[in-house]
Amino acid sequence: MSPHTIAALVGTRRRDALVAQLSNSTSDTATVIAPFTGLPLHKLPVSSADDVQDAAASARRAQHAWKAAGFAHRRRVLLRAHDLLLERREELLDLLQTESGKTRGQAFEEVFQAASVTRYYALSAQRVLATKRRRAGIPLLMTTRVSYSPKQLIGVVTPWNYPIALGTMDVVPALAAGSAVIQKIDNQGALAMLATREAYIDAGVPAEVWPIVTGPGSVIGNAVVDSCDYICFTGSTPTGTSVGERAAGRLIGASLELGGKNPLIVLGDADPAKAAVDAVYACFASMGQLCVSIERIYVHESIAEEFTREFAARVGALTQTAALDYTGDVGSLTSEAQLARVQAHVDDAVEKGATVLAGGVARPDLGPYFFAPTVLTNVTNSMKCYAEETFGPVVAIATVATDAEAIDRANDTEFGLNASIFGGSIAHARRLADRLDAGSVNINEGYRGSFSSVDAPMGGMKHSGLGRRNGPEGILRFVQSRTVSQSNGILQLPRTGAEFAVMAGLMVTLLSVLKVLRRR
């Protein structure tokens, strides 16, 4: 893609309209690079810590009216936003490709996810957060109900790799609950996220309820944590750990989606050819720059030779391009830093004895950050790519003799975000899925089954994170529960020693009866 094409896609007037949404009072800017060319795309205004404080204060004031508007109003607004996302999808796809270097198909996954999560919370928020009756401590004598009140201001820190999808998966349920949101976006995905926010504002979300800030995490990210009542963070495990510690110091909650070293198990009863086709997408979608993509494959020895041969051939045949259409299978890495990390992992593995079955080299003929999707074997624990997250288009294949060995090797990691099992027997795969230490497990699919299931919780175990997004769990993060219990006046509870002496036997009998009746 030529510099002229990029300039045409993100014209000055349109860029200025998008960045005008930012909470920014400084003259500081950051240069954003177009991955397909390595050339400057635009200069992004940078916020200050004072901007964060001002935006947070304004959002808190605006939240009162947003909460008071009620569920029905918020449902109508979010459903209009759903429609606008779909109407404006071509521009969103252009922006995503231009800023991230991903293919149009993988950009489409983001828009699809954003629309899905918006529709889901628009239609489910009131049901999930409705006041509900709970069993009272003493049935008949007492009545207990639980209600929910939105936390006033939610902080959201989103990454560059899936800015629209991961941003909306945190922002939308907060808005649906009646909270305000202050969001720190990554420079590399800023225009796509700002265009997405614009759709929600045009649908009726007050701009003050959802301010967006930019800048270095050490300054702006920390200021967001310090300004909010709950923080959502997506990124690396070291940074996420620091975010969680900072939140704990303020006694606020946090949900953290962090790193992964995700395994795929190919069982002996799998169809090797079909498994190979599906595994290629699981590994190389968005050039592996996806927290739930596969970096390790464990294939049963009975089909290992056929699977590996087919897999390497499929990887070698992938169409790698910068085209802004659906002709590409894989695109570019997003930055020079990503390219350097991938190259370092591959070079280290080769130097220490790994075998390259496909790829293994940069593709400067296609663009500055292109790297050929890479398949390795003979990877050992002395290599960086063995246990460290590469976050790029590199996968290691190993052979296993038994299901038990596959499970043990899959679980042998500090991470536990996503895992996959490919096999012929679904029942068999399900039994093994229960033994995997991962927050999501996909059977005969890499990640899209769980990722797209917006009614089900998503998150990690071990060092892959804390808390869950999506499903009822995803909106319950943003509310405080309140228990209200009342005496029904049928019988006075004991208050004095004498009254306890009379009532104790009756209360013991009540407990015994409830047990017999299996009443909670």
Side-chain angles (χ1 to χ4, degrees):
M1 183 170 59
S2 69
H4 175 74
T5 304
I6 293 176
L9 281 173
V10 190
T12 301
R13 185 173 299 176
R14 179 59 177 146
R15 179 192 64 82
D16 289 346
L18 290 173
V19 301
Q21 301 177 56
L22 292 170
S23 296
N24 168 263
S25 64
T26 75
S27 59
D28 296 341
T29 61
T31 300
V32 178
I33 301 298
F36 286 143
T37 65
L39 299 174
L41 179 61
H42 66 97
K43 290 188 179 295
L44 183 72
V46 175
S47 306
S48 68
D50 288 340
D51 291 328
V52 175
Q53 293 179 5
D54 293 344
S58 178
R60 287 186 183 276
R61 290 191 295 270
Q63 184 267 342
H64 296 292
W66 179 244
K67 172 187 174 182
F71 286 108
H73 173 75
R74 295 194 292 272
R75 179 172 60 249
R76 287 192 296 271
V77 168
L78 291 176
L79 290 177
R80 283 199 294 270
H82 168 278
D83 294 344
L84 289 177
L85 289 175
L86 298 181
E87 289 175 14
R88 301 175 184 182
R89 65 186 181 278
E90 293 304 322
E91 181 190 44
L92 294 175
L93 296 179
D94 286 344
L95 291 172
L96 281 169
Q97 285 197 268
T98 303
E99 291 184 303
S100 71
K102 65 179 61 178
T103 66
R104 202 161 191 82
Q106 284 133 36
F108 178 79
E109 285 188 351
E110 287 210 55
V111 177
F112 179 90
Q113 185 76 357
S116 295
V117 78
T118 301
R119 185 182 68 255
Y120 173 77
Y121 283 113
L123 298 175
S124 67
Q126 185 169 10
R127 173 183 56 80
V128 174
L129 301 181
T131 298
K132 297 178 179 65
R133 187 166 175 169
R134 302 287 183 92
R135 190 192 71 80
I138 306 177
L140 300 179
L141 302 189
M142 311 291 293
T143 299
T144 297
R145 291 179 173 84
V146 174
S147 62
Y148 299 97
S149 179
K151 297 172 183 175
Q152 193 173 19
L153 181 62
I154 308 302
V156 175
V157 179
T158 45
W160 49 265
N161 61 322
Y162 270 67
I164 293 179
L166 296 174
T168 54
M169 287 162 74
D170 287 332
V171 171
V172 169
L175 294 175
S179 300
V181 175
I182 181 168
Q183 183 183 12
K184 179 202 171 301
I185 55 176
D186 190 276
N187 295 352
Q188 199 63 46
L191 296 181
M193 193 65 236
L194 290 168
T196 300
R197 175 186 181 268
E198 186 180 62
Y200 289 83
I201 304 306
D202 290 348
V205 174
E208 299 80 8
V209 167
W210 181 4
I212 287 186
V213 294
T214 60
S218 58
V219 177
I220 304 305
N222 285 345
V224 169
V225 177
D226 293 342
S227 72
C228 66
D229 305 316
Y230 188 97
I231 185 70
C232 306
F233 172 84
T234 305
S236 71
T237 294
T239 303
T241 300
S242 297
V243 169
E245 291 171 348
R246 195 176 187 95
R250 296 190 55 239
L251 294 181
I252 65 170
S255 56
L256 313 169
E257 186 185 303
L258 309 179
K261 191 70 177 176
N262 307 303
L264 164 61
I265 296 173
V266 184
L267 300 174
D269 64 351
D271 178 335
K274 182 181 186 307
V277 175
D278 294 335
V280 169
Y281 192 87
C283 299
F284 299 114
S286 291
M287 287 290 283
Q289 299 171 122
L290 174 61
C291 53
V292 290
S293 65
I294 298 300
E295 294 196 7
R296 302 178 288 148
I297 298 177
Y298 300 107
V299 55
H300 191 272
E301 60 186 11
S302 63
I303 62 168
E305 183 177 351
E306 184 178 355
F307 170 85
T308 303
R309 182 177 61 251
E310 185 71 22
F311 182 80
R314 291 279 181 173
V315 172
L318 290 172
T319 300
Q320 192 166 17
T321 177
L324 295 181
D325 54 34
Y326 291 101
T327 58
D329 301 318
V330 288
S332 170
L333 290 166
T334 303
S335 68
E336 184 177 3
Q338 282 296 105
L339 177 65
R341 180 178 179 85
V342 170
Q343 187 73 68
H345 274 213
V346 173
D347 289 347
D348 173 75
V350 171
E351 289 171 6
K352 295 174 180 176
T355 301
V356 178
L357 298 185
V361 296
R363 293 292 309 276
D365 54 310
L366 298 176
Y369 307 143
F370 280 81
F371 196 92
T374 299
V375 183
L376 302 175
T377 59
N378 302 318
V379 171
T380 66
N381 60 9
S382 66
M383 302 172 187
K384 292 179 180 178
C385 69
Y386 179 84
E388 294 180 22
E389 182 180 30
T390 302
F391 211 66
V394 179
V395 64
I397 300 179
T399 300
V400 294
T402 65
D403 291 349
E405 182 186 358
I407 294 294
D408 287 345
R409 297 188 67 175
N411 287 338
D412 184 22
T413 173
E414 65 175 329
F415 300 110
L417 188 57
N418 179 50
S420 300
I421 301 176
F422 288 1
S425 168
I426 298 299
H428 182 199
R430 284 177 177 168
R431 288 193 296 270
L432 295 181
D434 290 337
R435 296 165 58 186
L436 287 169
D437 299 333
S440 60
V441 179
N442 288 267
I443 296 174
N444 292 334
E445 172 53 46
Y447 66 87
R448 290 180 292 185
S450 58
F451 191 81
S452 65
S453 297
V454 295
D455 189 35
M458 175 187 173
M461 297 180 181
K462 298 188 281 190
H463 286 182
S464 286
L466 179 71
R468 295 292 184 268
R469 54 161 56 110
N470 287 353
E473 295 85 348
I475 195 170
L476 289 170
R477 296 177 289 173
F478 304 133
V479 295
Q480 300 278 14
S481 61
R482 178 185 296 105
T483 299
V484 177
S485 191
Q486 69 185 51
S487 172
N488 293 330
I490 297 174
L491 184 67
Q492 178 62 57
L493 294 179
R495 297 157 297 184
T496 66
E499 290 174 346
F500 269 103
V502 173
M503 292 290 292
L506 178 61
M507 295 173 76
V508 168
T509 300
L510 173 63
L511 292 173
S512 299
V513 170
L514 290 173
K515 177 188 174 184
V516 170
L517 296 175
R518 296 188 178 274
R519 292 289 301 276
R520 293 178 298 133

